[in-house]
């Protein structure tokens, strides 16, 4: 007998594999004990070499059980399935979904019936994929390269610019609405404002005169009028703040994109063993782009000026603390030190 990923199989007549039992194997989930982690979708492109080899082998062992159990022909799962990324993705999803049905926390048995329905859909989709590749049970056919459909640079830039402007205007409008609404609502809280104003105007709020009350009412009207007339100013300030945030975000994005290109260029040159002189032009362009984006985000001169200002502020703060703690030159006199009497004078009175 040989134990496989989540199922057991034994050699039958003429070497055929006969499924004898289905059981849950915690090791298939990368854990042990009573509560293994729930399996997740396989990100094939993110696996390292050992991880890819191990995961593909586990999938192949499960696939052997799957094909025999459900009588899946080579027209749906050809022997070369692992050489076709699309087919491998479908089979990986089917496998991890099956593992979920065997998980202790899967819940009621309906999850198995749901997997059965999705299995039939996947097999139908696999038949179509295999028919497209032209592979058979005895022959593998390499898939032709897919033509690239790179977007038109001008159309792409125009689309992004239009979307950016529309979304920026919307966020600026929302910020202006929020700020001006808050200012007007603050002016509307007269029951909260009046006691504080009365305490400032009247000598004794408990015996406030009619003139005191009139002065408070006038202040409340003035505050409301000021809030109403200042809505445009507050809205403009809010829009400027949002615009500055968007500009900073755009500059940070430009730096990140330029950094990604530069890192990719350097890593590709190193990983492929290419001659650095052969890629010097590409590297130089990537370096220039990154340096330009970084200078636009935070000019070096600005950073130097800020560092000098911060150092000066720290020095001034230290000087103020030292001055505050410095002792007076005549500290002994200020403390009232007692006069020293000569020993001979002290003895004359005895």
């Amino acid at each position: 007998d040989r134990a496989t990923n989540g199922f057991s199989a034994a050699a039958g007549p003429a070497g055929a594999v006969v499924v004898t039992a289905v059981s849950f194997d915690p090791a298939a989930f990368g854990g042990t004990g009573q509560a293994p982690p729930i399996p997740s979708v396989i990100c094939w492109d993110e696996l390292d070499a050992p991880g890819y080899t191990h995961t593909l082998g586990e999938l192949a062992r499960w696939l052997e059980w799957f094909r025999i159990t459900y009588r899946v022909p080579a027209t749906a799962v050809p022997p070369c399935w692992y050489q076709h990324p699309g087919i491998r993705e479908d089979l990986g999803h089917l496998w991890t979904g099956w593992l979920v049905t065997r998980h202790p926390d899967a819940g009621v048995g309906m999850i198995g019936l749901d997997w059965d329905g999705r299995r039939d859909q996947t097999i139908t989709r696999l038949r179509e994929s295999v028919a497209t590749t032209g592979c058979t049970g005895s022959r593998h056919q390499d898939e032709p390269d897919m033509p690239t459909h790179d977007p038109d640079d001008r159309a792409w830039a125009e689309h992004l610019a239009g979307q950016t402007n529309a979304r920026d205007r919307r966020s600026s409008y929302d910020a202006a609405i929020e700020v001006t609404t808050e200012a007007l609502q603050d002016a509307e809280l007269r029951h909260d404002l009046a006691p504080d104003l009365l305490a400032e105007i009247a000598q004794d709020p408990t015996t406030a005169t009619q003139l005191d009350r009139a002065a408070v009412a006038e202040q409340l009207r003035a505050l409301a009028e000021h809030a109403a007339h200042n809505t445009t100013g507050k809205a403009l300030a809010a829009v400027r703040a949002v615009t500055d945030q968007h500009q900073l975000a755009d500059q940070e994005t430009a730096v990140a994109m330029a950094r990604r290109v530069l890192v990719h260029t350097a890593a590709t040159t190193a990983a492929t063993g290419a001659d650095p002189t052969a890629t010097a032009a590409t590297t130089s362009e990537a370096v220039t782009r990154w340096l330009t984006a970084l200078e636009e985000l935070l000019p070096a001169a600005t950073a130097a000026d800020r560092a000098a200002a911060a150092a000066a502020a720290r020095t001034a703060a230290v000087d103020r603390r030292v001055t505050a703690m410095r002792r007076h030159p005549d500290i002994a006199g200020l403390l009232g030190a007692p006069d020293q009497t000569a020993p001979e004078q002290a003895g004359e009175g005895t």
Side-chain angles (χ1 to χ4, degrees):
D1 291 0
R2 54 195 178 95
T4 53
N5 190 7
F7 60 93
S8 299
V17 177
V18 179
V19 176
T20 58
V22 176
S23 60
F24 172 74
D25 180 9
F29 298 90
T32 57
Q34 299 299 321
I38 297 177
S40 59
V41 174
I42 305 168
C43 298
W44 294 98
D45 293 337
E46 296 181 4
L47 295 175
D48 58 12
Y52 179 82
T53 300
H54 172 76
T55 305
L56 195 69
E58 293 295 305
L59 174 57
R61 283 187 286 273
W62 176 83
L63 191 58
E64 183 180 4
W65 167 84
F66 173 75
R67 291 181 58 253
I68 294 172
T69 301
Y70 295 101
R71 314 298 297 176
V72 181
T75 54
V77 182
C80 58
W81 60 268
Y82 52 87
Q83 299 188 57
H84 300 279
I87 296 176
R88 184 192 62 195
E89 284 283 342
D90 274 335
L91 293 175
H93 295 163
L94 199 63
W95 175 41
T96 53
W98 181 86
L99 290 173
V100 170
T101 67
R102 265 60 179 177
H103 194 274
D105 298 332
V108 297
M110 288 297 295
I111 191 173
L113 295 177
D114 181 65
W115 183 84
D116 287 337
R118 295 177 184 275
R119 180 199 68 224
D120 294 339
Q121 297 174 7
T122 302
I123 291 177
T124 299
R125 189 166 60 250
L126 287 169
R127 289 180 185 273
E128 297 174 355
S129 298
V130 174
T132 301
T133 64
C135 296
T136 65
S138 59
R139 181 175 62 89
H140 166 67
Q141 183 70 32
D142 291 333
E143 297 184 33
D145 294 333
M146 289 292 294
T148 58
H149 297 288
D150 295 330
D152 179 76
D153 291 340
R154 181 177 179 180
W156 179 268
E158 290 177 352
H159 171 77
L160 289 181
Q163 288 294 312
T164 298
N165 292 334
R167 295 169 191 270
D168 285 351
R169 285 195 302 270
R170 180 63 188 180
S171 58
S172 297
Y173 175 81
D174 291 341
I177 288 291
E178 181 180 356
V179 168
T180 53
T181 300
E182 182 179 356
L184 295 177
Q185 287 176 337
D186 288 342
E188 295 166 2
L189 300 176
R190 290 182 168 178
H191 287 299
D192 296 332
L193 295 172
D196 293 335
L197 293 175
L198 183 61
E200 293 177 1
I201 294 174
Q203 293 183 353
D204 185 1
T206 60
T207 60
T209 65
Q210 188 62 34
L211 290 177
D212 294 334
R213 299 173 187 176
V216 170
E218 182 61 27
Q219 287 286 345
L220 290 174
R221 285 190 288 269
L223 288 174
E225 185 177 359
H226 175 75
H229 288 302
N230 199 37
T231 52
T232 301
K234 285 188 173 295
L236 287 174
V239 169
R240 282 195 296 268
V242 172
T243 301
D244 291 342
Q245 292 176 355
H246 290 165
Q247 183 178 3
L248 179 61
D250 291 342
Q251 292 171 342
E252 290 176 342
T253 300
V255 171
M257 293 179 61
R259 184 200 316 125
R260 189 178 302 115
V261 172
L262 179 56
V263 168
H264 174 74
T265 301
T268 301
T269 301
T272 58
D275 184 2
T277 59
T279 59
T282 303
T283 302
S284 178
E285 181 181 353
V287 168
T288 300
R289 180 181 176 185
W290 178 71
L291 290 175
T292 301
L294 180 59
E295 189 69 13
E296 291 178 355
L297 174 62
L298 179 58
T302 301
D305 291 342
R306 291 177 180 176
R314 287 193 298 269
T315 301
V318 171
D319 291 343
R320 286 192 297 271
R321 289 196 298 269
V322 171
T323 302
M325 294 185 298
R326 184 177 294 125
R327 302 179 71 178
H328 193 277
D330 192 19
I331 188 64
L334 294 175
L335 293 176
D339 294 337
Q340 299 296 327
T341 304
E344 56 276 11
Q345 295 175 346
E348 292 178 356
T350 59

